[in-house]
Amino acid sequence: MTTSAPRTAPDSAPRPGADSPAPTLTESEAAEHAAAFRGLACEVGSAVLGKADTVRLALVAMLSEGHVLLEDVPGVGKTTLARAIAAATDGEWHRIQFTPDLLPSDVTGVPVFNQDTREFQFHPGPVFANVVVADEINRASPKAQSALLEVMEERQVTVDGRRYPVPRPFLVVATQNPVEMDGTYRLPEAQLDRFLIRLSLGYPDTDSELAIMRGDRLKGTDELTAVVGGDQLARMAAAAKRVHIHDAVYRYALELAHSSRAHDEIHVGVSPRATAALMRALRMYVLAEGRHYATPEDVKSLAVPVWAHRLVPAAGSAISGRSPADVLGDIVDRTSPPHAVRLADG
């Protein structure tokens, strides 16, 4: 998959047709797509040892048309993960080093006057790639951070009233160091809400770190093979939309959301946008498991990585030393899942 030059989007999108809903995914289809997902995760994991769960969730985010916020100390493989995803999906990747003097045009691109044609021509910025690494995003000013808002949500950049779509698939992997906070700008809630999942790689286990030190069993990102192309990624994303979610699972997720809004330690709870985001991730997560229906256990697995970074703690809650992720984990533990139902049925 290569990144083509940006083109101007049409002023209005075609109206959707009145087609009947797609049939529910079958077991055989789910198994086929799960095999492709496992191959992709295995290839990416060969460059990021010992982080299978994190790799899996990052791929779920990409295939759900979401973005990833990686909070971790330097040197644990954040950029390697993003480069590996691009290489294994035959995509192009760009890196943006966020600094206090970064301008929005350094991210999105800028129109440049052409002396020959006597017209302005748009020169695309580094955001025009399949995987964009926004390194240390919290070190840039809020104005520069906001340059990512439109492209993360709409998959396009608007300059001088003209819209330029970015390539598909499109994944932003933003990193920030949670330890060194001097000279940083806290990401506003509107920016955090654009990230589907927040992850942390953490330090590798002993065996994986020994392998990294020896240089054995570890592929460089330039040695990875493109195992899944753009067409197959699009088919997987379309298949995930056909995963069946029983009303009992919907109501269980909604009960968790309502509990977060009423919790004493949470000032701003889970929003309707966040509940919809969970459902998008849930469908792809289930497909990666090789199933055609979701369960409450799937909701439990995704609630913290998808929701915790969107919560705003109440004033004084920091005194207890509990993070929003801790509070959300308690809510999940204390909320009873629905009684046994045939979740594969309508």
Side-chain angles (χ1 to χ4, degrees), residues 116-278:
D116 296 331
T117 62
R118 311 294 294 176
E119 294 179 346
F120 282 95
Q121 293 182 343
F122 178 65
H123 282 218
V127 78
F128 286 88
N130 300 110
V131 179
V132 178
V133 181
D135 206 8
E136 294 191 288
I137 188 173
N138 55 335
R139 292 203 175 276
S141 67
K143 187 175 183 179
Q145 292 174 5
S146 66
L148 285 174
L149 285 175
E150 179 191 13
V151 70
M152 290 174 68
E153 186 71 19
E154 307 293 339
R155 268 72 178 173
Q156 67 179 21
V157 170
T158 303
V159 178
D160 291 340
R162 302 183 70 181
R163 294 178 292 166
Y164 302 91
V166 295
R168 296 293 187 95
F170 178 69
L171 172 69
V172 172
V173 180
T175 71
Q176 61 179 6
N177 184 348
V179 178
E180 179 54 64
M181 301 302 291
D182 291 341
T184 64
Y185 299 85
R186 181 182 178 274
L187 292 181
E189 280 69 32
Q191 183 88 39
L192 288 170
D193 204 36
R194 297 305 196 276
F195 291 100
L196 178 64
I197 289 178
R198 181 177 63 180
L199 301 172
S200 175
L201 281 168
Y203 293 111
D205 57 49
T206 301
D207 291 339
S208 297
E209 190 161 7
L210 282 172
I212 293 171
M213 293 169 65
R214 297 189 187 109
D216 58 355
R217 298 192 300 110
L218 182 65
K219 285 186 179 180
T221 52
D222 55 346
E223 299 174 316
L224 297 181
T225 303
V227 295
V228 177
D231 291 342
Q232 189 169 4
L233 291 173
R235 289 195 297 271
M236 291 170 67
K241 295 178 181 178
R242 295 164 53 204
V243 167
H244 177 69
I245 301 179
H246 194 280
D247 273 350
V249 177
Y250 278 122
R251 293 185 180 279
Y252 174 62
L254 191 58
E255 185 178 358
L256 295 175
H258 286 170
S259 297
S260 75
R261 299 167 191 169
H263 201 283
D264 293 339
E265 295 181 70
I266 299 297
H267 178 59
V268 178
V270 173
S271 68
R273 178 188 290 180
T275 57
L278 179 68

Side-chain angles (χ1 to χ4, degrees), residues 28-85:
S28 60
E29 289 176 310
E32 178 185 350
H33 290 296
F37 186 95
R38 285 193 299 271
L40 177 59
C42 182
E43 187 68 14
V44 174
S46 65
V48 188
L49 294 183
K51 300 298 175 184
D53 291 341
T54 305
V55 167
R56 188 161 167 270
L57 288 175
L59 292 173
V60 165
M62 181 188 70
L63 291 167
S64 305
E65 294 198 327
H67 307 287
V68 177
L69 178 63
L70 281 177
E71 285 190 341
D72 231 320
V73 297
V76 294
K78 299 186 294 292
T79 303
T80 300
L81 172 61
R83 292 185 62 180
I85 291 174

Side-chain angles (χ1 to χ4, degrees), residues 263 265 304 308 320-333:
H263 201 283
E265 295 181 70
V304 172
S320 65
R322 280 158 50 89
S323 67
D326 296 329
V327 176
L328 188 57
D330 285 348
I331 291 173
V332 171
D333 291 339

Side-chain angles (χ1 to χ4, degrees), residues 95-128:
R95 176 180 176 178
I96 309 171
Q97 185 64 51
F98 277 68
T99 56
D101 60 347
L102 189 74
L103 300 176
S105 59
D106 296 330
V107 176
T108 60
V110 63
V112 177
F113 186 72
N114 189 318
Q115 292 285 357
D116 296 331
T117 62
R118 311 294 294 176
E119 294 179 346
F120 282 95
Q121 293 182 343
F122 178 65
H123 282 218
V127 78
F128 286 88

